[in-house]
Amino acid sequence: MSNNDLPGLTPAWLISLGLALGCTIVVMIPASIATGDQIKSSDWIGFSGNVVAGAMTLIAAILAWFAVKRQVDAQDQAQRAARQQQTTDLARILYAELAHLVARCCFDFEAPWREYWQGPSLDKMQTVKLRKCVPVDPVIYRAVAGQLALLGPAAQHLMEFHYRLSALRREIDNLASNADLNNEQIENENLQLVARRFRETLRPGSKALEALAELVKDTGEIEALARELYYESRPHEDIGKTLKARVEAILRTT
């Protein structure tokens, strides 16, 4: 079966055919509208004027299309730039909050919860002391939950950390509420469970920080500020040690 549906009609022939048809139409239309009278110069002038007017209209339409296209492209570019800026601002404020939350979990696990994790050697705990270890409420994360899709893959890591953080908060609240109801202290085995919840937040927290760091420029300064608040109670420690290094040390030794 031949691959050419119109044999002999090469591009050159098609162009020639188009030119011939165009010339024929231009010549014959005035003749076809004539009523037997001799074609006058005014007939050609009128016909030529219509052709020129049509051509000018077509050119104007093409120019208008290009102008509209440029405007649409400019608007699209402006929207992309605004979206990128929105993503950057969102990632930065979430990173700042996340750094404080991860730092709190990290430093609290180092003391006192590491000892509870390692074994039932410590005494019971009053509910007042337990409630002091509740992580702060992630206000920013909840406020911008509807915009997390802007973060791309980083959103999943962030959600995983907050899932673990929620489990920790719920565990502390349940244990403290039950102990208050029965006027009891928190048993050591329950405190081990709280220590486990603290530890389970660390790896997801570190991964979330790493994922958001790709969208934020000054992550080092933000994290340093978060760490500084906790180093005030530990003046003899290395203040330059990053959260990632602290988390990896905890997970490696517990």
Side-chain angles (χ1 to χ4, degrees), residues 177-234:
S177 298
N178 290 336
D180 287 338
L181 184 62
N182 299 319
N183 196 22
E184 298 175 346
Q185 292 183 331
I186 311 297
E187 297 291 338
N188 191 277
E189 60 182 12
N190 291 328
L191 296 176
Q192 282 186 287
L193 180 57
V194 174
R196 174 187 170 187
R197 297 296 189 197
F198 265 104
R199 189 179 185 278
E200 289 176 344
T201 66
L202 300 181
R203 189 181 301 278
S206 180
K207 288 185 176 180
L209 285 173
E210 184 177 355
L212 282 179
E214 298 180 3
L215 304 174
V216 184
K217 295 182 179 179
D218 50 347
T219 56
E221 297 178 5
I222 297 174
E223 183 183 316
L225 179 60
R227 296 197 313 266
E228 182 180 350
L229 299 176
Y230 297 95
Y231 278 125
E232 291 178 356
S233 59
R234 304 183 183 187

Side-chain angles (χ1 to χ4, degrees), residues 65-200:
W65 181 82
F66 278 109
V68 171
K69 187 177 184 302
R70 284 196 300 270
Q71 183 177 5
V72 171
D73 291 342
Q75 291 177 349
D76 185 57
Q77 185 177 0
Q79 290 176 355
R80 288 198 300 268
R83 183 183 179 89
Q84 181 61 41
Q85 186 61 46
Q86 182 183 7
T87 301
T88 301
D89 294 341
L90 178 65
R92 190 177 190 280
I93 193 64
L94 283 171
Y95 188 93
E97 181 182 56
L98 180 63
H100 282 277
L101 292 172
V102 174
R104 173 68 185 275
C105 292
C106 180
F107 281 85
D108 279 2
F109 183 84
E110 289 178 341
W113 293 104
R114 182 198 293 267
E115 297 184 21
Y116 286 100
W117 166 261
Q118 292 174 341
S121 59
L122 299 180
D123 296 332
K124 301 177 181 180
M125 182 182 293
Q126 296 285 347
T127 58
V128 175
K129 183 177 179 180
L130 178 62
R131 290 186 186 278
K132 290 181 179 180
C133 296
V134 178
V136 297
D137 194 28
V139 179
I140 298 175
Y141 173 78
R142 293 180 179 177
V144 300
Q147 304 177 47
L148 294 181
L150 294 173
L151 302 176
Q156 183 175 355
H157 295 288
L158 187 63
M159 293 170 63
E160 174 65 19
F161 167 74
H162 281 283
Y163 169 77
R164 299 291 182 178
L165 188 71
S166 177
L168 169 61
R169 293 171 56 86
R170 184 173 61 251
E171 200 70 61
I172 292 177
D173 183 67
N174 290 340
L175 290 176
S177 298
N178 290 336
D180 287 338
L181 184 62
N182 299 319
N183 196 22
E184 298 175 346
Q185 292 183 331
I186 311 297
E187 297 291 338
N188 191 277
E189 60 182 12
N190 291 328
L191 296 176
Q192 282 186 287
L193 180 57
V194 174
R196 174 187 170 187
R197 297 296 189 197
F198 265 104
R199 189 179 185 278
E200 289 176 344

Side-chain angles (χ1 to χ4, degrees), residues 110 223 227 231 237-246 249:
E110 289 178 341
E223 183 183 316
R227 296 197 313 266
Y231 278 125
E237 293 194 20
D238 179 14
I239 62 175
K241 191 175 183 180
T242 65
L243 290 177
K244 181 178 180 180
R246 301 191 78 94

